[in-house]
Amino acid sequence: MAPGLDVLFVGINPGLWSAATGWHFARPGNRFWPALHRGGFTPRLLHPSEQDTLPGYGIGITNMVARASARADELTAAELVEGAQILRDKVARYRPRWVAVVGVTAYRIGFARPKATFGAQPERLADARLWVLPNPSGLNAHFTPETLGAAFAELRQASTVL
């Protein structure tokens, strides 16, 4: 994270592989990094170990919940609600233009928006615009690498409009 980013991506929580490496979306098979590239946020496919280069592209990454788990559905609703409040504080401090939550179910629970859908959200988080993206985990079979890339590209397009 860095102050004044164009987009802050928010994962749900670290998986066990990410916790072991210290890299976001580190598990082989996770489709975050390919989607980030396909969406036009990076000029090439980055490896999770290159996450520190993201602010140079105007983007950053964090998680809603710090506790690692094998699956995001192991988190409690209370953890997601608490994580959403911590995220509000981070956003108020770092002031990104956009916040992209990567996982609609976590967003719905954490922010008490049970009918939220993918895409731009009507409310703001601090002063940041909100966007919800599909979870890029390999466990989310509803989205292909191509449809994930297209979802990320929609955010990219919206985030470049002044």
Side-chain angles (χ1 to χ4, degrees), residues 53-64:
T53 67
L54 292 178
Y57 300 112
I59 56 180
I61 193 166
T62 191
N63 288 309
M64 270 182 70

Side-chain angles (χ1 to χ4, degrees), residues 12-16 65 67-77 79-80 139:
I12 300 167
N13 73 311
L16 300 178
V65 175
R67 180 173 72 86
S69 66
R71 298 172 51 107
D73 62 7
E74 295 174 16
L75 300 175
T76 66
E79 285 177 296
L80 292 168
L139 299 173

Side-chain angles (χ1 to χ4, degrees), residues 7-13 24-25 30-33 35-36 41 60-64 72 75 80 87 99-108 111 118-119 130-137 140 143 148 151-152 155:
V7 179
L8 175 63
F9 290 92
V10 181
I12 300 167
N13 73 311
H24 292 274
F25 299 104
N30 190 294
R31 299 167 302 169
F32 174 81
W33 297 99
L36 195 67
F41 285 98
I61 193 166
T62 191
N63 288 309
M64 270 182 70
L75 300 175
L80 292 168
L87 180 61
V99 173
V101 178
V102 183
V104 70
T105 301
Y107 178 79
R108 288 173 178 162
F111 290 92
F118 297 111
L130 273 166
W131 193 279
V132 175
L133 288 164
N135 186 335
S137 168
N140 183 1
F143 290 87
L148 281 170
F152 276 62
L155 169 60

Side-chain angles (χ1 to χ4, degrees), residues 85-107:
Q85 183 56 53
I86 292 168
L87 180 61
R88 279 185 192 94
D89 296 341
K90 285 181 186 178
V91 170
R93 179 177 176 203
Y94 287 96
R95 305 179 57 78
R97 289 181 45 243
W98 286 85
V99 173
V101 178
V102 183
V104 70
T105 301
Y107 178 79

Side-chain angles (χ1 to χ4, degrees), residues 27-48:
R27 184 173 185 77
N30 190 294
R31 299 167 302 169
F32 174 81
W33 297 99
L36 195 67
H37 175 60
R38 284 179 187 221
F41 285 98
T42 61
R44 64 178 177 81
L45 178 60
L46 299 178
H47 184 268

